[in-house]
Amino acid sequence: YSFADEVGGSGIATCNGTVVNGAAIDTATLGNQGFTVTAADNAGNPASVTVNYDVVDVTDPTASILTPTDGATYAQGASVAAAYSCADEVGGSGVASCLGTVADGAAIDTATLGVHAFAVVVTDNAGNSATTTVSYTVVDATNPTATITTPADGATYAVGTGVVVDYACNDE
């Protein structure tokens, strides 16, 4: 910054800014900031100039997914509650929304076998957004069943009797 007195003036006595000339202005704090330079000439005439500038949040917020765990395997029908959180950087604009595939604390899908994706989308008040995604697998963990109707357990048969076997197997 600089100030100058008019041609033939008394000359500059002081010229000071809210930050020393050549130093960096404040860009660590979000919002509208001001920078002022004041001057006085040798005749005691003052002058002041202020400029305003905006410091904006350009950092994406973050989402952390605790459950489901990435790569986890869950039994079909298991009760598994989603657990996640969202944050913006310290001094940031703040979290505007934090939305998961289901609400935090709600049950995730374990009814359908196979690989599933679970995502959380976070947006901050400055409009920056990020998505975190994990995958998990739902497996059939139930043993099949077998029932034998004939021969009956503990039955007695005469030698040479024709006994027809009757059994069934089931898987859910």
Side-chain angles (χ1 to χ4, degrees), residues 2-97:
S2 66
F3 261 98
D5 203 5
E6 74 276 358
V7 175
S10 63
I12 297 294
T14 62
C15 178
N16 298 306
T18 50
V19 173
V20 176
N21 197 17
I25 59 173
D26 177 17
T27 59
T29 306
L30 292 176
N32 187 269
Q33 307 294 325
F35 174 72
T36 302
V37 174
T38 56
D41 65 13
N42 289 318
N45 299 309
S48 180
V49 175
T50 298
V51 295
N52 291 307
Y53 60 95
D54 290 316
V55 178
V56 296
D57 179 357
V58 294
T59 303
D60 289 342
T62 58
S64 298
I65 301 173
L66 302 174
T67 308
T69 307
D70 194 30
T73 300
Y74 300 106
Q76 185 176 27
S79 179
V80 180
Y84 57 88
S85 62
C86 296
D88 202 14
E89 79 272 17
V90 174
S93 61
V95 172
S97 66

Side-chain angles (χ1 to χ4, degrees), residues 112-116 136-139:
T112 309
L113 296 174
V115 176
H116 297 263
Y136 65 96
T137 304
V138 176
V139 297

